[in-house]
Amino acid sequence: AQTVTQSQPEMSVQEAETVTLSCTYDTSENNYYLFWYKQPPSRQMILVIRQEAYKQQNATENRFSVNFQKAAKSFSLKISDSQLGDTAMYFCAFMNQNQGGKLIFGQGTELSVKP
Amino acid sequence: DVKVTQSSRYLVKRTGEKVFLECVQDMDHENMFWYRQDPGLGLRLIYFSYDVKMKEKGDIPEGYSVSREKKERFSLILESASTNQTSMYLCASSLSSGRASEQFFGPGTRLTVL
């Protein structure tokens, strides 16, 4: 069975600085996808960034980028130039290509951006 | 924009009551999901459905059932609510299971069982 682990329950960063959230996963599959979702306080969960396992190039979306290390089964999220609106719970998630779109989530990291 | 709505933001029920949580999506998505979110545990999949009248158990189906009579609507049913079902319940939908489709989430229902 696949598992996803986020070992940092809480993190904080100063506005405009860079922060990295860690995520590791365990799978014996070769074809899968990885995601970072963001859940702002009292607001709906939204997708931040997605990575296909077959792609070697790390995904980037504006200030958000990932460091995907397939051999190490590591998938960290880097947020550059942190903004107050980045304050949220962040979830790492795994999807096996052959399991009907099911997501397996990590425990979450609560990120606080301080002014 | 995709919109996923849930019938209630907050709900308080008593032990033993039958509870219905409703979820509606407006983008003709094939897949729908029910998760519960608990601190320190992340989101755990209860049930999902990839078509009308189709359902599959997720990781924690015990104590729950689901219904999908129409494509846009996916209901979660607690047959006899218990205090350990106090949690945040999130519904999500996605376009297709054939590719890495983004899941779109509803606002959540915070259920308290007394």
Side-chain angles (χ1 to χ4, degrees), chain B residues 19-37:
Chain B
V19 182
F20 293 86
L21 303 182
E22 304 286 338
C23 175
V24 177
Q25 50 93 4
D26 66 357
M27 283 299 290
D28 203 35
H29 281 178
E30 296 171 5
N31 300 333
M32 297 189 75
F33 307 84
W34 273 108
Y35 297 91
R36 64 176 282 174
Q37 180 180 358

Side-chain angles (χ1 to χ4, degrees), chain A residues 33 35 37 39 42 44-45 47 50 91 95 97 99-103 105-108, chain B residues 4 9 31 33 35 37 40-43 45 48 90 97 100-103 105-107:
Chain A
Y33 307 90
F35 304 82
Y37 278 86
Q39 186 180 41
S42 301
Q44 288 171 242
M45 186 109 68
L47 178 66
R50 165 177 37 206
F91 291 98
M95 180 191 291
Q97 181 176 301
Q99 285 193 350
K102 291 166 51 179
L103 284 173
F105 285 87
Q107 300 89 335
Chain B
V4 180
R9 290 299 301 270
N31 300 333
F33 307 84
Y35 297 91
Q37 180 180 358
L41 297 178
L43 280 72
L45 182 64
F48 69 104
L90 295 176
S97 60
S101 296
E102 174 184 353
Q103 287 192 17
F105 285 82

Side-chain angles (χ1 to χ4, degrees), chain A residues 3 51 84:
Chain A
T3 59
Q51 175 80 42
L84 297 178

Side-chain angles (χ1 to χ4, degrees), chain A residues 30-33 51-56 68 70 97:
Chain A
N30 197 44
N31 297 318
Y32 53 88
Y33 307 90
Q51 175 80 42
E52 292 86 349
Y54 64 85
K55 289 187 178 179
Q56 292 188 337
F68 174 47
K70 191 173 184 179
Q97 181 176 301

Side-chain angles (χ1 to χ4, degrees), chain A residues 107, chain B residues 36-44 60 84 86-88:
Chain A
Q107 300 89 335
Chain B
R36 64 176 282 174
Q37 180 180 358
D38 299 289
L41 297 178
L43 280 72
R44 294 177 291 166
I60 51 165
N84 62 13
T86 291
S87 186
M88 171 71 88

Side-chain angles (χ1 to χ4, degrees), chain B:
Chain B
D1 284 348
V2 175
K3 196 167 184 181
V4 180
T5 57
Q6 295 183 229
S7 51
S8 306
R9 290 299 301 270
Y10 299 93
L11 208 54
V12 180
K13 296 291 182 181
R14 297 210 173 270
T15 301
E17 281 192 78
K18 190 169 186 175
V19 182
F20 293 86
L21 303 182
E22 304 286 338
C23 175
V24 177
Q25 50 93 4
D26 66 357
M27 283 299 290
D28 203 35
H29 281 178
E30 296 171 5
N31 300 333
M32 297 189 75
F33 307 84
W34 273 108
Y35 297 91
R36 64 176 282 174
Q37 180 180 358
D38 299 289
L41 297 178
L43 280 72
R44 294 177 291 166
L45 182 64
I46 304 171
Y47 267 96
F48 69 104
S49 168
Y50 51 87
D51 201 352
V52 176
K53 296 191 186 296
M54 305 298 287
K55 61 185 179 185
E56 287 198 25
K57 293 179 180 179
D59 299 318
I60 51 165
E62 297 78 16
Y64 304 94
S65 62
V66 290
S67 172
R68 194 166 180 200
E69 296 296 320
K70 293 184 178 181
K71 191 174 186 179
E72 67 271 18
R73 187 180 298 269
F74 192 36
S75 302
L76 180 69
I77 304 155
L78 287 65
E79 295 289 343
S80 177
S82 62
T83 54
N84 62 13
Q85 293 178 309
T86 291
S87 186
M88 171 71 88
Y89 290 87
L90 295 176
C91 175
S93 71
S94 66
L95 182 59
S96 169
S97 60
R99 47 200 169 114
S101 296
E102 174 184 353
Q103 287 192 17
F104 293 86
F105 285 82
T109 296
R110 187 166 294 281
L111 173 67
T112 301
V113 182
L114 302 175

